[in-house]
Amino acid sequence: EATERLVTNHLQQNKDDKKAHMMLALFYKEAGAVEHAETIIDRLLKSSEFELTEQERLIVSGELQKIRRERPLDERSSTGPVNRPGF
């Protein structure tokens, strides 16, 4: 809880900082909230507000593919994360 609050506060203070978004996505991934991580990563990749280097884009895209590949088959969707109660 405290870590999530710290990371989200940092993001709120630095809304245009791609690294703040990456940090929050990493936190959610490590915390097991992969749906949240997927949403953030997808936004990083699709939004024109973040200028990712080619290397950053490859790394972030790889993480997104890994998250989607690790999702159970019955929860996979080509459109993005599955909405679950509580998230």
Side-chain angles (χ1 to χ4, degrees):
E1 263 183 41
T3 304
E4 180 179 15
R5 190 170 39 252
L6 179 69
V7 176
T8 55
N9 285 342
H10 178 70
L11 178 62
Q12 289 173 352
Q13 294 171 1
N14 302 283
K15 292 182 181 186
D16 297 330
D17 183 13
K18 64 185 171 187
K19 291 183 181 180
H21 284 81
M22 289 179 194
M23 190 183 319
L24 185 59
L26 177 63
F27 168 79
Y28 281 135
K29 184 175 182 273
E30 293 299 317
V34 291
E35 294 88 1
H36 292 313
E38 182 176 358
T39 300
I40 294 167
I41 293 170
D42 198 45
R43 180 171 175 234
L44 276 168
L45 291 169
K46 290 182 178 177
S47 176
S48 62
E49 65 187 287
F50 305 107
E51 291 185 27
L52 300 177
T53 66
E54 188 61 31
Q55 184 176 11
E56 289 170 334
R57 183 167 293 286
L58 287 172
I59 292 168
V60 172
S61 294
E63 281 300 315
L64 184 59
Q65 289 176 1
K66 184 177 178 185
I67 287 170
R68 289 179 174 165
R69 189 175 55 244
E70 291 174 350
R71 180 179 294 130
L73 284 174
D74 62 337
E75 295 178 12
R76 292 184 187 181
S77 164
S78 61
T79 59
V82 175
N83 291 326
R84 289 186 172 170
F87 285 98

